[in-house]
Amino acid sequence: KNEVEQSPQNLTAQEGEFITINCSYSVGISALHWLQQHPGGGIVSLFMLSSGKKKHGRLIATINIQEKHSSLHITASHPRDSAVYICAGPHSGGGADGLTFGKGTHLIIQP
Amino acid sequence: NAGVTQTPKFQVLKTGQSMTLQCAQDMNHEYMSWYRQDPGMGLRLIHYSVGAGITDQGEVPNGYNVSRSTTEDFPLRLLSAAPSQTSVYFCASSYPASGAHTGELFFGEGSRLTVL
């Protein structure tokens, strides 16, 4: 079973700061997901990546398959980025099943 | 497209009652799965399906049943509700990541269940 660890658990920063959230996993995987959950509960997919780097607006996700590590970066952070960010990988690593999740990083961006 | 639709959004049960959480998607996704979210535990996989007629257990399957008779629907049944099943439940669907499909996950809005 894949074990997914995230750090930090909680992060408070000032508007405009560069944010990094880290994710490591125990089993070689086909792809890793980054998700966002706002207060009120809805979960939105941000990225799915299997290699290298992806960028969407101010969000950048990177993955190093050999080191079993991924990072999510937020540039020029804004209070609306305040949310819980969750990484997830295949439950058994192969991809043809459900997901195992990290416990999430609770991010607060202060104006 | 409605995406992933979960019903009900809220439910209160008494211990021992049974109920079904409904999940439907209109994107023709092969993969569907159920998760529960508890404070301090994060999201945990209950059951998943890789296509109609195929289901399998996840991390915390006890007390829950699923079936997948159609591509669109993946209901989660609580057989005899217990207070430990008080949680928020999420259904998700996706294509497998290959060729034209990104593997992006789509989640329902969640169902908050309280068992007294």
Side-chain angles (χ1 to χ4, degrees), chain B residues 13-18 78-83 115-116:
Chain B
L13 290 177
K14 293 181 180 177
T15 296
Q17 288 184 315
S18 62
L78 280 71
L79 307 171
S80 177
V115 183
L116 302 175

Side-chain angles (χ1 to χ4, degrees), chain B residues 15-66:
Chain B
T15 296
Q17 288 184 315
S18 62
M19 76 158 298
T20 299
L21 297 175
Q22 302 290 346
C23 178
Q25 52 91 10
D26 61 359
M27 296 170 282
N28 204 33
H29 285 166
E30 294 176 36
Y31 289 175
M32 295 187 76
S33 47
W34 276 103
Y35 304 91
R36 58 179 289 173
Q37 187 175 39
D38 302 293
M41 300 292 293
L43 286 147
R44 292 180 292 169
L45 177 65
I46 305 172
H47 285 285
Y48 65 95
S49 170
V50 299
I54 306 168
T55 63
D56 208 344
Q57 296 181 351
E59 185 181 353
V60 288
N62 292 342
Y64 307 96
N65 269 359
V66 292

Side-chain angles (χ1 to χ4, degrees), chain B residues 42-111:
Chain B
L43 286 147
R44 292 180 292 169
L45 177 65
I46 305 172
H47 285 285
Y48 65 95
S49 170
V50 299
I54 306 168
T55 63
D56 208 344
Q57 296 181 351
E59 185 181 353
V60 288
N62 292 342
Y64 307 96
N65 269 359
V66 292
S67 60
R68 184 99 180 267
S69 55
T70 67
T71 300
E72 294 78 19
D73 299 299
F74 191 44
L76 179 72
R77 297 182 190 85
L78 280 71
L79 307 171
S80 177
S84 60
Q85 294 178 301
T86 294
S87 188
V88 181
Y89 292 84
F90 288 94
C91 177
S93 73
S94 71
Y95 284 119
S98 63
H101 299 303
T102 65
E104 180 183 358
L105 280 165
F106 294 82
F107 284 83
E109 293 182 351
S111 300

Side-chain angles (χ1 to χ4, degrees), chain A residues 25 29-34 47-55 60-71, chain B residues 97 102:
Chain A
Y25 49 92
I29 61 172
S30 54
L32 185 116
H33 297 261
W34 281 102
F47 296 103
M48 194 199 78
L49 65 166
S50 54
S51 65
K53 176 174 152 179
K54 285 189 176 179
K55 184 175 189 288
I60 303 166
T62 63
I63 190 167
N64 185 318
I65 295 292
Q66 287 73 29
E67 295 188 1
K68 298 187 177 65
H69 181 269
S70 178
S71 294
Chain B
T102 65

